[in-house]
Amino acid sequence: ARKFFVGGNWKCNGTVEEVKKIVTTLSEAEVPSEDVVEVVISPPFVFLPLVKTLLRPDFSVAAQNCWVRKGGAFTGEVSAEMLVNLGIPWVILGHSERRLLLNESNDFVGDKVAYALSQGLKVIACVGETLEQRESGATMAVVAAQTKAIAERIPHWPNIVLAYEPVWAIGTGKVATPTQAQEVHTEIRKWLHVNVSAEVAASTRIIYGGSVNGANCKELAAQPDVDGFLVGGASLKPEFIDIIKSAT
Ligand code: 13P
């Protein structure tokens, strides 16, 4: 019942020429219908209007961040209201690159998620442990604390997708094994069952991110609690289409 979800996080990459090329490649691709897979592309802010204009109508777009509250005197920030005004339906929040490089805390990410939802945005909320945390056995404690900071601030879950992205797997070529991914996704679902509700646990999509590519996606997608992917590097390449196709 959980529709497969494939997000393409372009991070801080691209030129106008490259953007046009990627979007054209995606537009020409034959992929499963939107009843089967939800595809969301996330370019940098400056390219959002262009991508939204050129993108095939069965795909959607996401911003990679937004400001934590209503806009105003916050130089360099982009508000949730602006995204709504531009017709951008999705936003990625709490990506590990922002948590770690820009010091976004669990509480700050939780506040962002709550505010974005309150403005009508749909949110891809990212969680995940570092290598050090995994090796010290803290994976689930870390992921639970990140999830809790979101859960305690939001009134409803239909507009949330949770992305489990172990930091050690991001951009490293070191993908989590299907067993490792399934294990954490099950734990997150159990956490939702106990701390939110059985309904939210059963219906919330939990997607995996970290070195997903055209070759490893099929086996990961076969795991019962892996409901899709958040793809970085490979989302800039034609193999992103193979990842979309792993929905079936
Ligand atoms: P890579 O697919 O490049 O490892 O990045 C994953 C990611 O961070 C997606 O948000």
Side-chain angles (χ1 to χ4, degrees), residues 9 11 95-97 126 165 169-172 209-212 230-234:
N9 177 7
K11 308 192 178 182
H95 193 280
S96 63
E97 285 151 16
C126 306
E165 300 206 303
I170 294 179
T172 58
S211 297
V212 175
L230 188 55
V231 185

Side-chain angles (χ1 to χ4, degrees), residues 51-91:
V51 171
K52 188 177 150 55
T53 304
L54 299 179
L55 196 64
R56 52 193 293 168
D58 52 339
F59 289 8
S60 186
V61 288
Q64 295 174 15
N65 178 39
C66 67
W67 178 234
V68 64
R69 281 178 280 277
K70 194 172 152 57
F74 306 105
T75 303
E77 291 295 329
V78 171
S79 69
E81 295 88 339
M82 290 170 195
L83 297 177
V84 171
N85 183 239
L86 263 82
I88 310 298
W90 286 92
V91 62

Side-chain angles (χ1 to χ4, degrees), residues 83-243:
L83 297 177
V84 171
N85 183 239
L86 263 82
I88 310 298
W90 286 92
V91 62
I92 297 172
L93 294 172
H95 193 280
S96 63
E97 285 151 16
R98 299 198 61 86
R99 289 180 185 268
L100 297 167
L101 302 172
L102 293 150
N103 285 315
E104 293 198 6
S105 67
N106 289 354
D107 286 343
F108 189 64
V109 172
D111 285 344
K112 282 190 174 194
V113 173
Y115 189 75
L117 281 183
S118 78
Q119 297 308 298
L121 290 170
K122 295 185 271 191
V123 176
I124 302 163
C126 306
V127 298
E129 82 288 0
T130 63
L131 183 61
E132 197 184 11
Q133 289 163 336
R134 172 162 284 259
E135 286 176 345
S136 70
T139 297
M140 204 44 219
V142 168
V143 169
Q146 292 168 335
T147 308
K148 178 169 183 279
I150 295 166
E152 63 194 10
R153 287 171 169 84
I154 66 172
H156 54 73
W157 284 75
N159 290 341
I160 293 249
V161 168
L162 280 180
Y164 168 59
E165 300 206 303
V167 177
W168 47 269
I170 294 179
T172 58
K174 199 169 177 266
V175 66
T177 65
T179 309
Q180 283 173 323
Q182 171 61 21
E183 196 171 69
V184 179
H185 286 222
T186 314
E187 287 296 322
I188 295 172
R189 213 176 287 294
K190 269 193 217 154
W191 189 94
L192 292 173
H193 194 282
V194 171
N195 297 282
V196 184
S197 73
E199 203 280 320
V200 164
S203 59
T204 300
R205 287 172 291 181
I206 305 174
I207 63 176
Y208 168 80
S211 297
V212 175
N213 61 34
N216 61 29
C217 58
K218 205 74 205 171
E219 213 189 331
L220 283 160
Q223 300 301 311
D225 288 294
V226 174
D227 303 317
F229 300 115
L230 188 55
V231 185
S235 71
L236 298 160
K237 302 179 191 160
E239 70 186 281
F240 187 60
I241 293 156
D242 300 321
I243 300 173

